[in-house]
PDB file of all heavy atoms in Angstrom:
ATOM      1  N   SER A   1       0.744  -1.247   0.007  1.00 48.00           N
ATOM      2  CA  SER A   1       0.046  -0.030   0.002  1.00 48.00           C
ATOM      3  C   SER A   1       0.768   1.285  -0.008  1.00 48.00           C
ATOM      4  O   SER A   1       0.306   2.347  -0.200  1.00 48.00           O
ATOM      5  CB  SER A   1      -0.892   0.041   1.257  1.00 48.00           C
ATOM      6  OG  SER A   1      -0.143   0.118   2.442  1.00 48.00           O
ATOM      7  N   GLY A   2       2.145   1.147   0.322  1.00 51.00           N
ATOM      8  CA  GLY A   2       3.024   2.298   0.397  1.00 51.00           C
ATOM      9  C   GLY A   2       3.016   2.990   1.772  1.00 51.00           C
ATOM     10  O   GLY A   2       3.664   3.972   1.954  1.00 51.00           O
ATOM     11  N   ARG A   3       2.157   2.424   2.706  1.00 55.00           N
ATOM     12  CA  ARG A   3       2.179   3.051   4.019  1.00 55.00           C
ATOM     13  C   ARG A   3       3.502   2.726   4.653  1.00 55.00           C
ATOM     14  O   ARG A   3       4.001   1.613   4.477  1.00 55.00           O
ATOM     15  CB  ARG A   3       1.048   2.474   4.829  1.00 55.00           C
ATOM     16  CG  ARG A   3      -0.369   2.801   4.132  1.00 55.00           C
ATOM     17  CD  ARG A   3      -1.462   2.267   5.045  1.00 55.00           C
ATOM     18  NE  ARG A   3      -1.426   2.767   6.412  1.00 55.00           N
ATOM     19  CZ  ARG A   3      -1.993   2.092   7.395  1.00 55.00           C
ATOM     20  NH1 ARG A   3      -2.587   0.991   7.273  1.00 55.00           N
ATOM     21  NH2 ARG A   3      -1.887   2.603   8.575  1.00 55.00           N
ATOM     22  N   ASP A   4       3.960   3.551   5.587  1.00 58.00           N
ATOM     23  CA  ASP A   4       5.139   3.446   6.278  1.00 58.00           C
ATOM     24  C   ASP A   4       4.984   2.450   7.517  1.00 58.00           C
ATOM     25  O   ASP A   4       4.183   2.719   8.304  1.00 58.00           O
ATOM     26  CB  ASP A   4       5.605   4.752   6.741  1.00 58.00           C
ATOM     27  CG  ASP A   4       7.007   4.713   7.202  1.00 58.00           C
ATOM     28  OD1 ASP A   4       7.599   3.651   7.551  1.00 58.00           O
ATOM     29  OD2 ASP A   4       7.645   5.849   7.319  1.00 58.00           O
ATOM     30  N   VAL A   5       5.800   1.407   7.436  1.00 63.00           N
ATOM     31  CA  VAL A   5       5.669   0.353   8.507  1.00 63.00           C
ATOM     32  C   VAL A   5       6.000   0.930   9.926  1.00 63.00           C
ATOM     33  O   VAL A   5       5.511   0.533  10.896  1.00 63.00           O
ATOM     34  CB  VAL A   5       6.643  -0.854   8.186  1.00 63.00           C
ATOM     35  CG1 VAL A   5       6.621  -1.779   9.322  1.00 63.00           C
ATOM     36  CG2 VAL A   5       6.053  -1.489   6.926  1.00 63.00           C
ATOM     37  N   SER A   6       6.798   2.004   9.787  1.00 67.00           N
ATOM     38  CA  SER A   6       7.219   2.545  11.142  1.00 67.00           C
ATOM     39  C   SER A   6       6.108   3.402  11.730  1.00 67.00           C
ATOM     40  O   SER A   6       6.191   3.752  12.841  1.00 67.00           O
ATOM     41  CB  SER A   6       8.447   3.620  10.863  1.00 67.00           C
ATOM     42  OG  SER A   6       8.067   4.645   9.987  1.00 67.00           O
ATOM     43  N   GLU A   7       5.010   3.521  11.081  1.00 70.00           N
ATOM     44  CA  GLU A   7       3.785   4.087  11.723  1.00 70.00           C
ATOM     45  C   GLU A   7       3.292   3.071  12.826  1.00 70.00           C
ATOM     46  O   GLU A   7       2.604   3.451  13.720  1.00 70.00           O
ATOM     47  CB  GLU A   7       2.650   4.242  10.825  1.00 70.00           C
ATOM     48  CG  GLU A   7       2.943   5.365   9.658  1.00 70.00           C
ATOM     49  CD  GLU A   7       1.846   5.378   8.649  1.00 70.00           C
ATOM     50  OE1 GLU A   7       0.684   4.759   8.888  1.00 70.00           O
ATOM     51  OE2 GLU A   7       1.984   6.116   7.744  1.00 70.00           O
ATOM     52  N   ARG A   8       3.462   1.800  12.641  1.00 72.00           N
ATOM     53  CA  ARG A   8       3.018   0.833  13.612  1.00 72.00           C
ATOM     54  C   ARG A   8       4.083  -0.121  14.228  1.00 72.00           C
ATOM     55  O   ARG A   8       3.774  -0.851  15.188  1.00 72.00           O
ATOM     56  CB  ARG A   8       1.944  -0.102  12.964  1.00 72.00           C
ATOM     57  CG  ARG A   8       0.763   0.615  12.287  1.00 72.00           C
ATOM     58  CD  ARG A   8      -0.096   1.253  13.340  1.00 72.00           C
ATOM     59  NE  ARG A   8      -1.226   1.898  12.789  1.00 72.00           N
ATOM     60  CZ  ARG A   8      -2.368   1.272  12.426  1.00 72.00           C
ATOM     61  NH1 ARG A   8      -2.563   0.036  12.562  1.00 72.00           N
ATOM     62  NH2 ARG A   8      -3.386   2.084  11.969  1.00 72.00           N
ATOM     63  N   PHE A   9       5.372  -0.066  13.732  1.00 76.00           N
ATOM     64  CA  PHE A   9       6.331  -0.924  14.201  1.00 76.00           C
ATOM     65  C   PHE A   9       7.694  -0.155  14.426  1.00 76.00           C
ATOM     66  O   PHE A   9       7.892   0.694  13.707  1.00 76.00           O
ATOM     67  CB  PHE A   9       6.643  -2.014  13.166  1.00 76.00           C
ATOM     68  CG  PHE A   9       5.531  -3.163  13.046  1.00 76.00           C
ATOM     69  CD1 PHE A   9       4.514  -2.828  12.130  1.00 76.00           C
ATOM     70  CD2 PHE A   9       5.613  -4.237  13.811  1.00 76.00           C
ATOM     71  CE1 PHE A   9       3.497  -3.818  12.005  1.00 76.00           C
ATOM     72  CE2 PHE A   9       4.491  -5.158  13.668  1.00 76.00           C
ATOM     73  CZ  PHE A   9       3.503  -5.014  12.761  1.00 76.00           C
ATOM     74  N   THR A  10       8.516  -0.601  15.416  1.00 82.00           N
ATOM     75  CA  THR A  10       9.848  -0.250  15.480  1.00 82.00           C
ATOM     76  C   THR A  10      10.684  -1.345  14.776  1.00 82.00           C
ATOM     77  O   THR A  10      10.289  -2.535  14.868  1.00 82.00           O
ATOM     78  CB  THR A  10      10.277  -0.053  16.951  1.00 82.00           C
ATOM     79  OG1 THR A  10      10.121  -1.246  17.656  1.00 82.00           O
ATOM     80  CG2 THR A  10       9.499   1.087  17.593  1.00 82.00           C
ATOM     81  N   VAL A  11      11.839  -0.908  14.212  1.00 79.00           N
ATOM     82  CA  VAL A  11      12.653  -1.869  13.561  1.00 79.00           C
ATOM     83  C   VAL A  11      14.004  -1.845  14.201  1.00 79.00           C
ATOM     84  O   VAL A  11      14.643  -0.879  14.290  1.00 79.00           O
ATOM     85  CB  VAL A  11      12.783  -1.510  12.004  1.00 79.00           C
ATOM     86  CG1 VAL A  11      13.612  -2.602  11.279  1.00 79.00           C
ATOM     87  CG2 VAL A  11      11.373  -1.410  11.356  1.00 79.00           C
ATOM     88  N   THR A  12      14.465  -3.088  14.579  1.00 85.00           N
ATOM     89  CA  THR A  12      15.731  -3.232  15.173  1.00 85.00           C
ATOM     90  C   THR A  12      16.540  -4.233  14.356  1.00 85.00           C
ATOM     91  O   THR A  12      16.107  -5.337  13.976  1.00 85.00           O
ATOM     92  CB  THR A  12      15.725  -3.769  16.561  1.00 85.00           C
ATOM     93  OG1 THR A  12      14.823  -2.828  17.301  1.00 85.00           O
ATOM     94  CG2 THR A  12      16.980  -3.946  17.348  1.00 85.00           C
ATOM     95  N   ARG A  13      17.759  -3.851  14.034  1.00 84.00           N
ATOM     96  CA  ARG A  13      18.791  -4.896  13.369  1.00 84.00           C
ATOM     97  C   ARG A  13      19.311  -5.788  14.455  1.00 84.00           C
ATOM     98  O   ARG A  13      20.030  -5.393  15.441  1.00 84.00           O
ATOM     99  CB  ARG A  13      19.873  -4.123  12.684  1.00 84.00           C
ATOM    100  CG  ARG A  13      20.623  -5.191  11.806  1.00 84.00           C
ATOM    101  CD  ARG A  13      21.757  -4.416  10.903  1.00 84.00           C
ATOM    102  NE  ARG A  13      22.846  -3.981  11.683  1.00 84.00           N
ATOM    103  CZ  ARG A  13      23.994  -3.482  11.103  1.00 84.00           C
ATOM    104  NH1 ARG A  13      24.121  -3.321   9.802  1.00 84.00           N
ATOM    105  NH2 ARG A  13      24.962  -3.200  11.935  1.00 84.00           N
ATOM    106  N   ILE A  14      19.072  -7.139  14.206  1.00 86.00           N
ATOM    107  CA  ILE A  14      19.634  -8.093  15.139  1.00 86.00           C
ATOM    108  C   ILE A  14      21.129  -8.332  14.837  1.00 86.00           C
ATOM    109  O   ILE A  14      21.929  -8.509  15.707  1.00 86.00           O
ATOM    110  CB  ILE A  14      18.745  -9.499  15.047  1.00 86.00           C
ATOM    111  CG1 ILE A  14      17.323  -9.134  15.469  1.00 86.00           C
ATOM    112  CG2 ILE A  14      19.468 -10.516  16.001  1.00 86.00           C
ATOM    113  CD1 ILE A  14      16.474 -10.420  15.178  1.00 86.00           C
ATOM    114  N   ASP A  15      21.378  -8.561  13.634  1.00 85.00           N
ATOM    115  CA  ASP A  15      22.809  -8.653  13.062  1.00 85.00           C
ATOM    116  C   ASP A  15      22.813  -8.233  11.686  1.00 85.00           C
ATOM    117  O   ASP A  15      21.809  -7.639  11.193  1.00 85.00           O
ATOM    118  CB  ASP A  15      23.241 -10.151  13.320  1.00 85.00           C
ATOM    119  CG  ASP A  15      22.444 -11.251  12.609  1.00 85.00           C
ATOM    120  OD1 ASP A  15      21.827 -10.880  11.531  1.00 85.00           O
ATOM    121  OD2 ASP A  15      22.425 -12.287  13.177  1.00 85.00           O
ATOM    122  N   ASP A  16      23.779  -8.680  10.971  1.00 79.00           N
ATOM    123  CA  ASP A  16      24.003  -8.045   9.582  1.00 79.00           C
ATOM    124  C   ASP A  16      22.879  -8.681   8.599  1.00 79.00           C
ATOM    125  O   ASP A  16      22.595  -7.967   7.647  1.00 79.00           O
ATOM    126  CB  ASP A  16      25.396  -8.530   8.976  1.00 79.00           C
ATOM    127  CG  ASP A  16      26.492  -7.824   9.565  1.00 79.00           C
ATOM    128  OD1 ASP A  16      26.249  -6.803  10.219  1.00 79.00           O
ATOM    129  OD2 ASP A  16      27.688  -8.274   9.488  1.00 79.00           O
ATOM    130  N   ASP A  17      22.294  -9.802   8.971  1.00 83.00           N
ATOM    131  CA  ASP A  17      21.336 -10.400   8.090  1.00 83.00           C
ATOM    132  C   ASP A  17      19.872 -10.399   8.640  1.00 83.00           C
ATOM    133  O   ASP A  17      18.898 -10.855   8.018  1.00 83.00           O
ATOM    134  CB  ASP A  17      21.679 -11.773   7.717  1.00 83.00           C
ATOM    135  CG  ASP A  17      22.983 -11.835   7.006  1.00 83.00           C
ATOM    136  OD1 ASP A  17      23.162 -10.962   6.075  1.00 83.00           O
ATOM    137  OD2 ASP A  17      23.882 -12.628   7.323  1.00 83.00           O
ATOM    138  N   GLN A  18      19.651 -10.012   9.910  1.00 88.00           N
ATOM    139  CA  GLN A  18      18.282 -10.254  10.615  1.00 88.00           C
ATOM    140  C   GLN A  18      17.845  -8.969  11.192  1.00 88.00           C
ATOM    141  O   GLN A  18      18.660  -8.143  11.768  1.00 88.00           O
ATOM    142  CB  GLN A  18      18.453 -11.232  11.680  1.00 88.00           C
ATOM    143  CG  GLN A  18      18.848 -12.627  11.195  1.00 88.00           C
ATOM    144  CD  GLN A  18      18.765 -13.665  12.345  1.00 88.00           C
ATOM    145  OE1 GLN A  18      17.736 -14.091  12.779  1.00 88.00           O
ATOM    146  NE2 GLN A  18      19.895 -14.156  12.787  1.00 88.00           N
ATOM    147  N   TYR A  19      16.549  -8.733  11.017  1.00 85.00           N
ATOM    148  CA  TYR A  19      15.784  -7.602  11.673  1.00 85.00           C
ATOM    149  C   TYR A  19      14.651  -8.009  12.448  1.00 85.00           C
ATOM    150  O   TYR A  19      13.949  -9.127  12.134  1.00 85.00           O
ATOM    151  CB  TYR A  19      15.414  -6.691  10.494  1.00 85.00           C
ATOM    152  CG  TYR A  19      16.588  -6.055   9.654  1.00 85.00           C
ATOM    153  CD1 TYR A  19      17.104  -6.959   8.712  1.00 85.00           C
ATOM    154  CD2 TYR A  19      17.114  -4.771   9.975  1.00 85.00           C
ATOM    155  CE1 TYR A  19      18.269  -6.409   7.963  1.00 85.00           C
ATOM    156  CE2 TYR A  19      18.120  -4.420   9.152  1.00 85.00           C
ATOM    157  CZ  TYR A  19      18.828  -5.170   8.261  1.00 85.00           C
ATOM    158  OH  TYR A  19      19.811  -4.723   7.574  1.00 85.00           O
ATOM    159  N   GLN A  20      14.306  -7.321  13.407  1.00 88.00           N
ATOM    160  CA  GLN A  20      13.079  -7.447  14.227  1.00 88.00           C
ATOM    161  C   GLN A  20      12.158  -6.396  14.093  1.00 88.00           C
ATOM    162  O   GLN A  20      12.585  -5.230  14.321  1.00 88.00           O
ATOM    163  CB  GLN A  20      13.494  -7.835  15.668  1.00 88.00           C
ATOM    164  CG  GLN A  20      12.291  -8.123  16.589  1.00 88.00           C
ATOM    165  CD  GLN A  20      12.708  -8.621  17.945  1.00 88.00           C
ATOM    166  OE1 GLN A  20      12.905  -9.760  18.261  1.00 88.00           O
ATOM    167  NE2 GLN A  20      12.935  -7.613  18.781  1.00 88.00           N
ATOM    168  N   LEU A  21      10.867  -6.610  13.959  1.00 84.00           N
ATOM    169  CA  LEU A  21       9.840  -5.689  14.064  1.00 84.00           C
ATOM    170  C   LEU A  21       8.879  -5.779  15.286  1.00 84.00           C
ATOM    171  O   LEU A  21       8.525  -6.976  15.523  1.00 84.00           O
ATOM    172  CB  LEU A  21       8.937  -5.732  12.772  1.00 84.00           C
ATOM    173  CG  LEU A  21       9.462  -5.173  11.456  1.00 84.00           C
ATOM    174  CD1 LEU A  21      10.621  -5.851  10.946  1.00 84.00           C
ATOM    175  CD2 LEU A  21       8.310  -5.173  10.470  1.00 84.00           C
ATOM    176  N   LEU A  22       8.727  -4.827  16.101  1.00 87.00           N
ATOM    177  CA  LEU A  22       7.906  -4.885  17.258  1.00 87.00           C
ATOM    178  C   LEU A  22       6.685  -3.890  17.047  1.00 87.00           C
ATOM    179  O   LEU A  22       6.961  -2.681  16.707  1.00 87.00           O
ATOM    180  CB  LEU A  22       8.700  -4.491  18.455  1.00 87.00           C
ATOM    181  CG  LEU A  22       9.792  -5.494  18.792  1.00 87.00           C
ATOM    182  CD1 LEU A  22      10.557  -4.997  20.092  1.00 87.00           C
ATOM    183  CD2 LEU A  22       9.314  -6.910  19.067  1.00 87.00           C
ATOM    184  N   PRO A  23       5.432  -4.242  17.202  1.00 84.00           N
ATOM    185  CA  PRO A  23       4.315  -3.434  17.095  1.00 84.00           C
ATOM    186  C   PRO A  23       4.331  -2.317  18.196  1.00 84.00           C
ATOM    187  O   PRO A  23       4.656  -2.574  19.266  1.00 84.00           O
ATOM    188  CB  PRO A  23       3.122  -4.318  17.234  1.00 84.00           C
ATOM    189  CG  PRO A  23       3.617  -5.398  18.072  1.00 84.00           C
ATOM    190  CD  PRO A  23       4.985  -5.632  17.700  1.00 84.00           C
ATOM    191  N   LEU A  24       3.863  -1.119  17.781  1.00 85.00           N
ATOM    192  CA  LEU A  24       3.696  -0.021  18.704  1.00 85.00           C
ATOM    193  C   LEU A  24       2.423  -0.090  19.407  1.00 85.00           C
ATOM    194  O   LEU A  24       2.392   0.243  20.579  1.00 85.00           O
ATOM    195  CB  LEU A  24       3.850   1.329  18.007  1.00 85.00           C
ATOM    196  CG  LEU A  24       5.072   1.612  17.231  1.00 85.00           C
ATOM    197  CD1 LEU A  24       5.019   2.895  16.407  1.00 85.00           C
ATOM    198  CD2 LEU A  24       6.269   1.710  18.242  1.00 85.00           C
ATOM    199  N   ALA A  25       1.383  -0.710  18.813  1.00 80.00           N
ATOM    200  CA  ALA A  25       0.031  -0.755  19.497  1.00 80.00           C
ATOM    201  C   ALA A  25       0.049  -1.914  20.459  1.00 80.00           C
ATOM    202  O   ALA A  25       0.546  -3.058  20.230  1.00 80.00           O
ATOM    203  CB  ALA A  25      -1.073  -1.013  18.409  1.00 80.00           C
ATOM    204  N   GLN A  26      -0.551  -1.660  21.587  1.00 83.00           N
ATOM    205  CA  GLN A  26      -0.514  -2.680  22.624  1.00 83.00           C
ATOM    206  C   GLN A  26      -1.547  -3.812  22.341  1.00 83.00           C
ATOM    207  O   GLN A  26      -1.495  -4.894  22.660  1.00 83.00           O
ATOM    208  CB  GLN A  26      -0.886  -1.995  24.009  1.00 83.00           C
ATOM    209  CG  GLN A  26       0.098  -1.079  24.571  1.00 83.00           C
ATOM    210  CD  GLN A  26      -0.329  -0.580  25.946  1.00 83.00           C
ATOM    211  OE1 GLN A  26      -1.422  -0.773  26.477  1.00 83.00           O
ATOM    212  NE2 GLN A  26       0.547   0.176  26.567  1.00 83.00           N
ATOM    213  N   ASN A  27      -2.526  -3.506  21.525  1.00 81.00           N
ATOM    214  CA  ASN A  27      -3.641  -4.504  21.165  1.00 81.00           C
ATOM    215  C   ASN A  27      -3.316  -5.100  19.780  1.00 81.00           C
ATOM    216  O   ASN A  27      -4.297  -5.669  19.239  1.00 81.00           O
ATOM    217  CB  ASN A  27      -4.920  -3.915  21.261  1.00 81.00           C
ATOM    218  CG  ASN A  27      -5.085  -2.727  20.292  1.00 81.00           C
ATOM    219  OD1 ASN A  27      -4.123  -2.152  19.595  1.00 81.00           O
ATOM    220  ND2 ASN A  27      -6.400  -2.344  20.035  1.00 81.00           N
ATOM    221  N   SER A  28      -2.127  -5.129  19.337  1.00 80.00           N
ATOM    222  CA  SER A  28      -1.844  -5.590  17.998  1.00 80.00           C
ATOM    223  C   SER A  28      -2.090  -7.124  17.928  1.00 80.00           C
ATOM    224  O   SER A  28      -1.737  -7.876  18.970  1.00 80.00           O
ATOM    225  CB  SER A  28      -0.408  -5.223  17.611  1.00 80.00           C
ATOM    226  OG  SER A  28      -0.082  -5.967  16.391  1.00 80.00           O
ATOM    227  N   SER A  29      -2.438  -7.702  16.811  1.00 78.00           N
ATOM    228  CA  SER A  29      -2.635  -9.092  16.781  1.00 78.00           C
ATOM    229  C   SER A  29      -1.205  -9.892  16.563  1.00 78.00           C
ATOM    230  O   SER A  29      -1.141 -11.025  16.712  1.00 78.00           O
ATOM    231  CB  SER A  29      -3.448  -9.509  15.545  1.00 78.00           C
ATOM    232  OG  SER A  29      -2.904  -9.073  14.301  1.00 78.00           O
ATOM    233  N   VAL A  30      -0.206  -9.114  16.355  1.00 82.00           N
ATOM    234  CA  VAL A  30       1.215  -9.595  16.190  1.00 82.00           C
ATOM    235  C   VAL A  30       1.997  -9.166  17.310  1.00 82.00           C
ATOM    236  O   VAL A  30       2.032  -7.960  17.812  1.00 82.00           O
ATOM    237  CB  VAL A  30       1.761  -9.056  14.861  1.00 82.00           C
ATOM    238  CG1 VAL A  30       3.305  -9.578  14.731  1.00 82.00           C
ATOM    239  CG2 VAL A  30       1.038  -9.642  13.655  1.00 82.00           C
ATOM    240  N   SER A  31       2.832 -10.103  17.959  1.00 87.00           N
ATOM    241  CA  SER A  31       3.730  -9.707  19.061  1.00 87.00           C
ATOM    242  C   SER A  31       5.111  -9.286  18.456  1.00 87.00           C
ATOM    243  O   SER A  31       5.689  -8.281  18.991  1.00 87.00           O
ATOM    244  CB  SER A  31       3.921 -11.023  19.834  1.00 87.00           C
ATOM    245  OG  SER A  31       4.846 -10.688  20.827  1.00 87.00           O
ATOM    246  N   LYS A  32       5.569 -10.044  17.474  1.00 89.00           N
ATOM    247  CA  LYS A  32       6.834  -9.611  16.812  1.00 89.00           C
ATOM    248  C   LYS A  32       7.059 -10.337  15.526  1.00 89.00           C
ATOM    249  O   LYS A  32       6.494 -11.347  15.235  1.00 89.00           O
ATOM    250  CB  LYS A  32       8.108  -9.907  17.791  1.00 89.00           C
ATOM    251  CG  LYS A  32       8.299 -11.383  18.146  1.00 89.00           C
ATOM    252  CD  LYS A  32       9.433 -11.498  19.084  1.00 89.00           C
ATOM    253  CE  LYS A  32       9.565 -12.984  19.587  1.00 89.00           C
ATOM    254  NZ  LYS A  32      10.764 -13.161  20.573  1.00 89.00           N
ATOM    255  N   VAL A  33       7.863  -9.727  14.771  1.00 86.00           N
ATOM    256  CA  VAL A  33       8.241 -10.259  13.354  1.00 86.00           C
ATOM    257  C   VAL A  33       9.736 -10.312  13.253  1.00 86.00           C
ATOM    258  O   VAL A  33      10.436  -9.389  13.579  1.00 86.00           O
ATOM    259  CB  VAL A  33       7.585  -9.340  12.274  1.00 86.00           C
ATOM    260  CG1 VAL A  33       8.039  -9.984  10.853  1.00 86.00           C
ATOM    261  CG2 VAL A  33       6.103  -9.300  12.369  1.00 86.00           C
ATOM    262  N   ARG A  34      10.346 -11.370  12.686  1.00 88.00           N
ATOM    263  CA  ARG A  34      11.762 -11.445  12.483  1.00 88.00           C
ATOM    264  C   ARG A  34      12.056 -11.741  10.923  1.00 88.00           C
ATOM    265  O   ARG A  34      11.312 -12.567  10.394  1.00 88.00           O
ATOM    266  CB  ARG A  34      12.404 -12.640  13.398  1.00 88.00           C
ATOM    267  CG  ARG A  34      13.913 -12.558  13.041  1.00 88.00           C
ATOM    268  CD  ARG A  34      14.578 -13.510  14.164  1.00 88.00           C
ATOM    269  NE  ARG A  34      14.170 -14.914  14.004  1.00 88.00           N
ATOM    270  CZ  ARG A  34      14.932 -15.912  13.319  1.00 88.00           C
ATOM    271  NH1 ARG A  34      15.998 -15.538  12.737  1.00 88.00           N
ATOM    272  NH2 ARG A  34      14.458 -17.092  13.275  1.00 88.00           N
ATOM    273  N   LEU A  35      12.886 -10.982  10.345  1.00 84.00           N
ATOM    274  CA  LEU A  35      13.221 -11.112   8.893  1.00 84.00           C
ATOM    275  C   LEU A  35      14.635 -11.455   8.878  1.00 84.00           C
ATOM    276  O   LEU A  35      15.574 -11.013   9.710  1.00 84.00           O
ATOM    277  CB  LEU A  35      13.102  -9.897   8.241  1.00 84.00           C
ATOM    278  CG  LEU A  35      11.753  -9.031   8.421  1.00 84.00           C
ATOM    279  CD1 LEU A  35      11.892  -7.723   7.607  1.00 84.00           C
ATOM    280  CD2 LEU A  35      10.546  -9.832   7.939  1.00 84.00           C
ATOM    281  N   GLN A  36      15.064 -12.435   7.864  1.00 86.00           N
ATOM    282  CA  GLN A  36      16.373 -12.822   7.638  1.00 86.00           C
ATOM    283  C   GLN A  36      16.640 -12.747   6.131  1.00 86.00           C
ATOM    284  O   GLN A  36      15.873 -13.276   5.372  1.00 86.00           O
ATOM    285  CB  GLN A  36      16.680 -14.215   8.138  1.00 86.00           C
ATOM    286  CG  GLN A  36      18.152 -14.634   7.946  1.00 86.00           C
ATOM    287  CD  GLN A  36      18.471 -15.952   8.644  1.00 86.00           C
ATOM    288  OE1 GLN A  36      17.910 -16.288   9.619  1.00 86.00           O
ATOM    289  NE2 GLN A  36      19.451 -16.595   8.051  1.00 86.00           N
ATOM    290  N   PHE A  37      17.827 -12.092   5.768  1.00 83.00           N
ATOM    291  CA  PHE A  37      18.139 -11.905   4.382  1.00 83.00           C
ATOM    292  C   PHE A  37      19.471 -12.741   4.080  1.00 83.00           C
ATOM    293  O   PHE A  37      20.255 -13.003   4.973  1.00 83.00           O
ATOM    294  CB  PHE A  37      18.424 -10.442   4.149  1.00 83.00           C
ATOM    295  CG  PHE A  37      17.215  -9.610   4.098  1.00 83.00           C
ATOM    296  CD1 PHE A  37      16.654  -9.029   5.160  1.00 83.00           C
ATOM    297  CD2 PHE A  37      16.575  -9.274   2.877  1.00 83.00           C
ATOM    298  CE1 PHE A  37      15.602  -8.207   5.268  1.00 83.00           C
ATOM    299  CE2 PHE A  37      15.437  -8.471   2.923  1.00 83.00           C
ATOM    300  CZ  PHE A  37      14.909  -7.930   3.980  1.00 83.00           C
ATOM    301  N   ASP A  38      19.500 -13.113   2.733  1.00 83.00           N
ATOM    302  CA  ASP A  38      20.838 -13.642   2.227  1.00 83.00           C
ATOM    303  C   ASP A  38      21.071 -12.689   1.101  1.00 83.00           C
ATOM    304  O   ASP A  38      20.401 -12.782  -0.002  1.00 83.00           O
ATOM    305  CB  ASP A  38      20.508 -15.055   1.770  1.00 83.00           C
ATOM    306  CG  ASP A  38      21.870 -15.655   1.334  1.00 83.00           C
ATOM    307  OD1 ASP A  38      22.884 -14.999   1.204  1.00 83.00           O
ATOM    308  OD2 ASP A  38      21.855 -16.845   0.806  1.00 83.00           O
ATOM    309  N   GLN A  39      22.104 -11.948   1.089  1.00 75.00           N
ATOM    310  CA  GLN A  39      22.399 -10.902   0.190  1.00 75.00           C
ATOM    311  C   GLN A  39      21.147 -10.015   0.176  1.00 75.00           C
ATOM    312  O   GLN A  39      20.748  -9.464   1.197  1.00 75.00           O
ATOM    313  CB  GLN A  39      22.608 -11.502  -1.182  1.00 75.00           C
ATOM    314  CG  GLN A  39      23.835 -12.376  -1.235  1.00 75.00           C
ATOM    315  CD  GLN A  39      25.230 -11.718  -0.901  1.00 75.00           C
ATOM    316  OE1 GLN A  39      25.311 -10.572  -1.225  1.00 75.00           O
ATOM    317  NE2 GLN A  39      26.034 -12.383  -0.151  1.00 75.00           N
ATOM    318  N   GLN A  40      20.467  -9.837  -0.986  1.00 69.00           N
ATOM    319  CA  GLN A  40      19.266  -8.911  -1.107  1.00 69.00           C
ATOM    320  C   GLN A  40      18.025  -9.833  -1.174  1.00 69.00           C
ATOM    321  O   GLN A  40      16.911  -9.334  -1.530  1.00 69.00           O
ATOM    322  CB  GLN A  40      19.453  -8.034  -2.343  1.00 69.00           C
ATOM    323  CG  GLN A  40      20.463  -6.986  -2.192  1.00 69.00           C
ATOM    324  CD  GLN A  40      20.170  -6.079  -1.021  1.00 69.00           C
ATOM    325  OE1 GLN A  40      19.082  -5.643  -0.786  1.00 69.00           O
ATOM    326  NE2 GLN A  40      21.297  -5.862  -0.219  1.00 69.00           N
ATOM    327  N   THR A  41      18.040 -11.026  -0.724  1.00 78.00           N
ATOM    328  CA  THR A  41      16.853 -11.946  -0.812  1.00 78.00           C
ATOM    329  C   THR A  41      16.383 -12.206   0.605  1.00 78.00           C
ATOM    330  O   THR A  41      17.135 -12.663   1.414  1.00 78.00           O
ATOM    331  CB  THR A  41      17.333 -13.261  -1.493  1.00 78.00           C
ATOM    332  OG1 THR A  41      17.752 -12.988  -2.818  1.00 78.00           O
ATOM    333  CG2 THR A  41      16.076 -14.145  -1.671  1.00 78.00           C
ATOM    334  N   LEU A  42      15.066 -12.116   0.739  1.00 79.00           N
ATOM    335  CA  LEU A  42      14.457 -12.537   2.032  1.00 79.00           C
ATOM    336  C   LEU A  42      14.210 -14.039   2.078  1.00 79.00           C
ATOM    337  O   LEU A  42      13.635 -14.629   1.273  1.00 79.00           O
ATOM    338  CB  LEU A  42      13.052 -11.826   2.185  1.00 79.00           C
ATOM    339  CG  LEU A  42      12.300 -12.116   3.501  1.00 79.00           C
ATOM    340  CD1 LEU A  42      13.067 -11.501   4.608  1.00 79.00           C
ATOM    341  CD2 LEU A  42      10.897 -11.525   3.372  1.00 79.00           C
TER     342      LEU A  42
END
């Protein structure tokens, strides 16, 4: 949709290849999201 994810999540880099998203809303249906990349591929 083009909406900025940072409106609802904070983004933290775990290491060079991994990122964590935490919702800002207390009543979110999601607790956390983790992403892992290999080069530019998720």
Side-chain angles (χ1 to χ4, degrees):
S1 65
R3 297 178 63 201
D4 192 342
V5 175
S6 62
E7 294 176 9
R8 302 291 179 86
F9 291 88
T10 58
V11 183
T12 303
R13 190 175 74 168
I14 300 173
D15 57 32
D16 288 344
D17 298 315
Q18 297 187 71
Y19 298 81
Q20 180 173 267
L21 281 65
L22 297 177
L24 297 175
Q26 294 184 353
N27 61 347
S28 174
S29 61
V30 172
S31 174
K32 62 183 175 181
V33 178
R34 182 167 68 93
L35 314 175
Q36 181 174 330
F37 289 85
D38 181 1
Q39 302 297 324
Q40 291 302 312
T41 302
L42 181 66

